[in-house]
Amino acid sequence: MPMIEGWKETTLGEVAEIVKDQWLPGDADQKYIGLEHINQGDLQINGFGCSSSLQSNKFYFKQGDILFGKLRPYFRKVWKARFDGVCSTDIWVLRAKEGYDQNYLFYFMANPVFIDKSTGASIGTKMPRADWDFLKRSKWLFPPLSEQRAIAAVLSSFDDKIELLRRQNKTLEAIAQAIFKEWFVKFKVKGEQLKLNPKTGLPEGWKLGRIKDCGEIVCGKTPPKAINEYFGGSIPFIKIPDMHNEMFIVKTEDSLTEEGSDFQRNKFIPANSVCVSCIATVGLVSITSQKSQTNQQINTIIPNSDEYLEYLYFVLKNMTNDLIAIGSGGSATLNINTGVFSDIEIVLPSDDILKSYHSTVEPLFVKVLSNMIQIQTLSKLRDTLLPKLMKGEIRVKL
């Protein structure tokens, strides 16, 4: 590999070590990170679990440790821990050795060049795993410690901004959710308690209805996978992993071509449609940000009017346990078919209350979407700079 002035060639094993501090069932409860909690490609997590329910040995990690998903490494599931916890044994816990910067090591391991190396050296066919014995002998160019820190600081500035926007979005959603509960659970609107109808137990002018009363219901479908020309285009193809902890869906793992989407043109859903996962993982709720299609595990509501959007989002978000119960049906795999989903009973507020709630919280939803789009822009810019900085094609002034 071509040398860069001041940089030195070294093996990964001289730079980093894997930490295997075992957590055993029965040990103190910890936050748990499994592969399912680390997002594919964006260096973020979508939540965490609880170790109290685990039945097998795991690994402890500390805040600042690097978690690298070794199973199917091409998924690029890499995260720098923001808290202490335990993780799956399919995740490496890594720390930089003396003379090397932990933050730089994190971006080094998130570099697509390293991901490709990890993938190429994986062991196994159906469930390939990255091979540390091979990788620790692989040779790489590393800049001096001062330059490592400078490079990491540039890249960290993007992730710090992304984290700030994510926290802001949680706050905005929490505010809209609090207003929802005040209006539609406590029946108290703008400080005034609504008068209830003694027969229905609902405010005057409200009634019971069904999801299908709020809009058109579309169950998704997957085009024939054997036809390669149907995939890899510009039409977002939404699947359950795209929905985890996302109010709006602004990116998808898969996409369809015009030909692939035209194969099932009756499955198109517009922006501001409400997607609900209804098979296997039941109860995830997200909103489309552009014209899309979904697979068959998702039922989507295309609202009759804009006023229904925010109301439906929170109604369904608050029905997770009910949806799981409906989907169980005595089967090991949860499943809510489109007919059953359409007929689920919900409260339908009066038009004036619905419009007032929409006008109150719509700016919050608009800001969340704007933040999510900005997050994607920042992520792309970071990922464009990352390999160039790691190769020394772009230098950081010290």
Side-chain angles (χ1 to χ4, degrees), residues 281-293:
T281 301
V282 168
L284 299 178
V285 184
S286 296
I287 301 169
T288 56
S289 61
Q290 57 185 304
K291 186 178 180 181
S292 310
Q293 292 192 10

Side-chain angles (χ1 to χ4, degrees), residues 76-93:
R76 194 184 179 225
K77 295 196 169 191
V78 191
W79 181 61
K80 187 161 78 71
R82 293 180 178 265
F83 50 77
D84 295 352
V86 298
C87 66
S88 164
T89 52
D90 282 324
I91 295 173
W92 286 333
V93 179

Side-chain angles (χ1 to χ4, degrees), residues 237-352:
F237 185 61
I238 300 168
K239 299 187 297 185
I240 286 177
D242 304 315
M243 299 174 61
H244 283 283
N245 291 321
E246 300 290 359
M247 177 185 279
F248 287 92
I249 302 166
V250 296
K251 70 182 183 75
T252 56
E253 293 178 4
D254 293 337
S255 59
L256 302 178
T257 60
E258 292 288 346
E259 186 179 2
S261 56
D262 282 346
F263 174 81
Q264 48 189 40
R265 61 174 51 253
N266 63 328
K267 300 300 181 182
F268 271 114
I269 51 175
N272 289 333
S273 298
V274 182
C275 298
V276 184
S277 62
C278 288
I279 296 179
T281 301
V282 168
L284 299 178
V285 184
S286 296
I287 301 169
T288 56
S289 61
Q290 57 185 304
K291 186 178 180 181
S292 310
Q293 292 192 10
T294 80
N295 71 1
Q296 58 276 12
Q297 292 181 290
I298 298 168
N299 283 310
T300 300
I301 309 165
I302 303 174
N304 287 333
S305 67
D306 294 341
E307 286 78 12
Y308 276 107
L309 177 64
E310 299 84 7
Y311 177 72
L312 280 173
Y313 175 77
F314 283 122
V315 164
L316 292 160
K317 284 273 287 188
N318 291 325
M319 287 182 65
T320 300
N321 292 335
D322 294 330
L323 291 171
I324 291 173
I326 293 169
S328 61
S331 172
T333 302
L334 300 178
N335 189 339
I336 306 176
N337 66 45
T338 305
V340 171
F341 179 78
S342 301
D343 282 329
I344 292 174
E345 190 174 73
I346 62 172
V347 172
L348 300 179
S350 59
D351 289 344
D352 59 329

